[in-house]
Amino acid sequence: MLITDFCPMSLDIDKLLECSLAAARAAATYAMDHYNRRSEVVEMSSHDVKLKLDQECQEKAIAVIRSQFPEHSIIAEEQTSGIRTRPDSETEWIVDPIDGTVNFFHGLPLWCSSVAARHHGAVVAATVYAPALNVCYMAAADGQSVCNGLPIHVSSVASLSDAIVLTGIVRNVSERRSLTRMLAELAGKVQRLRILGSAALDICAVAHGQADGYFESGIYVWDVAAAGLIVRQAGGSTELIGEPLSEGRIQFLATNGHIHDAVKNVFRQIRNL
Ligand code: LIP
């Protein structure tokens, strides 16, 4: 599809989608091909690890994007504050070469490569590819989300007591106390709260109707950009909650839409206590 209404130059979303797939594939395939090197560590910190492969996979994804769209900007995870090139570009790519790094490091299959194209601030094409699970989620701003080429839709669960909500625990210890209260309250209201270790796959699980909501505080745009579009184009809702935290980190809620307000009400009650 060509979008012409909000930019002077026409935007070929299909081309962006193809490129997001090629870039995610390049990163994830490289990770799979070098799986036996997954414990090569660049930096080990409390609750996190930076891997040599993360950086190498990112280079693979970026090479694909650069070869097709040399003029576009790229934001990617593997540098402390992300890399942002060509700030004057209307289109920027958001790359997480390995989301679920700690899972990958330990040999758990719940990890993926996530690539999104954002135009004038709105994500328009996205791929989340998890080769160890053999799933590839894709979405364009003008169509239905797919998993391995088949259309997907969020669940119809409308009550918190029937819902699975996925989450993660913020690394920053000082932020953990208030978060723990929120999550404890939520855990008491939903059928189950789960921590699986990859934000992008968590959100895609909501898109696929396998989970009903996802909330995490302290994550980065590259964790949620691609999967956010995928859940929206599968009928779900996403929202930034509260103010951004330090270092550009955000609080992100994605749901099937039906339990969205109920989850927010739980957070509101805690803040007012
Ligand atoms: C990780 C997420 C995980 C979340 C961590 C981190 P990484 O991304 O996907 O679910 O809890 O805070 O953001 O570092 O593996 O790309």
Side-chain angles (χ1 to χ4, degrees):
M1 179 201 171
L2 290 179
I3 287 197
T4 50
D5 51 347
F6 62 100
C7 68
M9 302 278 289
S10 60
L11 177 73
D12 189 336
I13 293 202
D14 293 341
K15 236 179 128 195
L16 295 176
L17 187 61
E18 262 170 44
C19 183
S20 74
L21 173 63
R25 261 209 196 123
T29 305
Y30 188 88
M32 284 303 268
D33 289 349
H34 296 81
Y35 199 65
N36 60 351
R37 294 179 45 220
R38 69 185 183 281
S39 49
E40 288 178 16
V41 170
V42 174
E43 192 189 328
M44 187 72 92
S45 55
S46 53
H47 314 296
D48 204 13
V49 60
K50 290 261 168 240
L51 303 181
K52 187 101 186 20
L53 273 183
D54 239 325
Q55 296 173 338
E56 292 173 19
C57 293
Q58 179 167 301
E59 281 164 26
K60 298 290 166 195
I62 287 178
V64 169
I65 296 166
R66 282 261 173 276
S67 69
Q68 296 187 33
F69 297 105
E71 74 286 8
H72 287 179
S73 179
I74 300 177
I75 299 171
E77 177 178 18
E78 296 310 316
Q79 268 177 31
T80 334
S81 53
I83 52 168
R84 178 185 279 270
T85 53
R86 303 177 207 276
D88 52 331
S89 165
E90 293 175 334
T91 307
E92 56 190 357
W93 292 84
I94 305 172
V95 177
D96 191 348
I98 301 178
D99 179 61
T101 313
V102 175
N103 284 351
F104 177 78
F105 173 71
H106 285 275
L108 278 168
L110 289 157
W111 61 272
C112 60
S113 299
S114 167
V115 178
R118 187 160 71 175
H119 189 73
H120 286 298
V123 176
V124 292
T127 297
V128 169
Y129 177 40
L133 300 176
N134 198 24
V135 291
C136 182
Y137 292 98
M138 294 174 74
D142 58 343
Q144 183 74 19
S145 299
V146 295
C147 176
N148 295 347
L150 298 174
I152 52 169
H153 207 275
V154 293
S155 72
S156 56
V157 168
S159 142
L160 279 188
S161 57
D162 296 326
I164 284 193
V165 174
L166 307 174
T167 190
I169 300 288
V170 67
R171 283 169 234 166
N172 190 328
V173 180
S174 63
E175 289 168 15
R176 222 176 272 157
R177 198 163 298 144
S178 66
L179 177 74
T180 309
R181 273 179 73 199
M182 277 158 78
L183 294 182
E185 188 65 21
L186 193 58
K189 297 223 170 357
V190 297
Q191 186 181 43
R192 275 287 191 272
L193 198 62
R194 291 267 184 258
I195 298 177
L196 304 180
S198 160
L201 284 179
D202 287 352
I203 299 165
C204 288
V206 179
H208 209 155
Q210 298 162 331
D212 311 296
Y214 159 85
F215 171 75
E216 191 163 349
S217 176
I219 48 169
Y220 293 90
V221 65
W222 45 78
D223 295 315
V224 301
L229 179 69
I230 291 166
V231 72
R232 287 191 294 279
Q233 298 307 114
S237 306
T238 63
E239 189 173 343
L240 289 174
I241 301 290
E243 295 299 312
L245 308 171
S246 59
E247 297 155 12
R249 293 170 307 128
I250 54 175
Q251 308 189 68
F252 192 79
L253 174 65
T255 70
N256 63 4
H258 311 297
I259 63 163
H260 204 85
D261 288 342
V263 174
K264 278 172 68 181
N265 279 340
V266 174
F267 297 157
R268 227 172 266 136
Q269 279 162 22
I270 289 293
R271 286 209 181 97
N272 293 336
L273 282 181

